[in-house]
Structures are given as structure tokens and as C-alpha cells.
């Protein structure tokens, strides 16, 4: 079978003009034409109107797409409640253990320490996955990523907890920084790109 053979499906006969794809069906390598009145679409899923990248903050007038930021009093209230949730069982069990003073007392002291660690990790997990600890939920606030309004995740919530060291080293000024900061962030929030907002 030769190039000029009429039975050759891959070639054209000599003397014939080149043929394009059939009408209505663009061939390989030909530009695709969008139907009339339909704007061209990019890769991936279509963007929903009013929905930012990543499905984060709903667009709200006057907030630039971000929910209302939580003021310092709410943040302090949530922190105090969280401290009580984690600290009270430890103090009670440790106090009982100290009063008993024998091997049974040591067991109570150990139980208090286990309760302290367990509750702290559970609170951190809740904060990372839902944005709320027990204290934050009680006062109606939520910790979110500034970029897209989603919870930080356990890892970043842990990093943020460590970054609170920065809030404490300069006479605890970082803890008060939300009082005058435009985004009401502590130093740890700035490092981790997180914000605390009012929960709806």
C-alpha cells in the first residue's frame, strides 16, 4: 500500500487539496470552539459565585469575606474556661493523692497527671479539627486559618500552642496584642496565620 493508493486511509491521493475534519467535529490538533454564548472554562471545578478558594469564609459585606473577629474579652474568657477544664481534675486528683500520702496517694497523683495530659491533647485535637475547645465553644468563638477559613488541623494547632511562647517572653505583651491589633491576633496567631472569629 503506497501513499497515493486510494485504499490507504492514512494518505491523500496526489492532486487532492488537504482535507480538514468533518463538519461539526474538530479533529486532533484543531482548536476547539466554544458554543455561542458559553464562556470558556478553566481546568478543575467551576468556581461558585461568592465562594472563595478552598470553600472558606462566606462573603459578608463589610468584613471582606471574613466573619467578625472575636474581641479580647471573649478570647480571655475561653482561655480561662479551658484552663479550668484541664486544670481542675489535675488539682483535685493531685490534692487527694497528696492528702493520702501513701501508695494509694501516688496512684491518685498519677491519675491527675494522666487526666491533665489527656484533656490537654483532647482539647488540642478539638481546636485543630473543629476550631473550638470547650472554652471557645462556651463563649462562641472559633480558631480558623486566615487564608481560607478552615480549621488549622491538629499539627498547626500544636505549633500555635508552642508559638504562644512568643506571647509570653516579652512581659506577656503578646497575649494583650489583640486589644489593639487590626486583626485581633496574638504573636502566635501571626506566626501561624490564624484568626479567632465569632462563631455563627
Amino acid at each position: 500500500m503506497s501513499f497515493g493508493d486510494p485504499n490507504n486511509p492514512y494518505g491523500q491521493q496526489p492532486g487532492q487539496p488537504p482535507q480538514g475534519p468533518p463538519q461539526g467535529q474538530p479533529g486532533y490538533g484543531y482548536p476547539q470552539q466554544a458554543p455561542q454564548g458559553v464562556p470558556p472554562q478553566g481546568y478543575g471545578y467551576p468556581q461558585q459565585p461568592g465562594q472563595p478558594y478552598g470553600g472558606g469564609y462566606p462573603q459578608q459585606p463589610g468584613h471582606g469575606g471574613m466573619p467578625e473577629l472575636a474581641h479580647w474579652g471573649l478570647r480571655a474568657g475561653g482561655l480561662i474556661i479551658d484552663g479550668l477544664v484541664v486544670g481542675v481534675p489535675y488539682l483535685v486528683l493531685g490534692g487527694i493523692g497528696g492528702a493520702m500520702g501513701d501508695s494509694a496517694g501516688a496512684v491518685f497523683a498519677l491519675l491527675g497527671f494522666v487526666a491533665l495530659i489527656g484533656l490537654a491533647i483532647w482539647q488540642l485535637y478539638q481546636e485543630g479539627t473543629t476550631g473550638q475547645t470547650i472554652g471557645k465553644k462556651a463563649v462562641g468563638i472559633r480558631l480558623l486559618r486566615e487564608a481560607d477559613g478552615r480549621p488549622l488541623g491538629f499539627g498547626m494547632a500544636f505549633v500555635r500552642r508552642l508559638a504562644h511562647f512568643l506571647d509570653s517572653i516579652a512581659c506577656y505583651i503578646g497575649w494583650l496584642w489583640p486589644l489593639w491589633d487590626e486583626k485581633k491576633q496574638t504573636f502566635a496567631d501571626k506566626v501561624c496565620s490564624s484568626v479567632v472569629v465569632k462563631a455563627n
Side-chain angles (χ1 to χ4, degrees), residues 53-65:
Y53 173 75
Y57 301 121
Q59 297 294 330
Q60 295 180 5
H63 293 293

Side-chain angles (χ1 to χ4, degrees), residues 93-177:
L93 290 171
I96 292 172
M100 296 177 78
D102 53 6
S103 58
V107 170
F108 274 96
L110 180 62
L111 285 175
F113 182 72
V114 169
L116 175 73
I117 299 299
L119 284 169
I121 292 173
W122 183 77
Q123 288 267 73
L124 194 59
Y125 173 78
Q126 290 296 315
E127 187 173 53
T129 56
T130 69
Q132 290 183 307
T133 58
I134 291 175
K136 284 181 172 62
K137 190 176 238 181
V139 298
I141 59 176
R142 187 181 299 271
L143 173 70
L144 301 172
R145 289 190 305 214
E146 184 179 0
D148 59 10
R150 295 179 183 273
L152 293 182
F154 178 78
M156 277 308 294
F158 179 70
V159 170
R160 180 178 176 268
R161 193 62 57 93
L162 294 178
H164 277 310
F165 169 74
L166 300 173
D167 295 323
S168 303
I169 57 173
C171 300
Y172 300 95
I173 195 72
W175 295 100
L176 300 175
W177 205 260

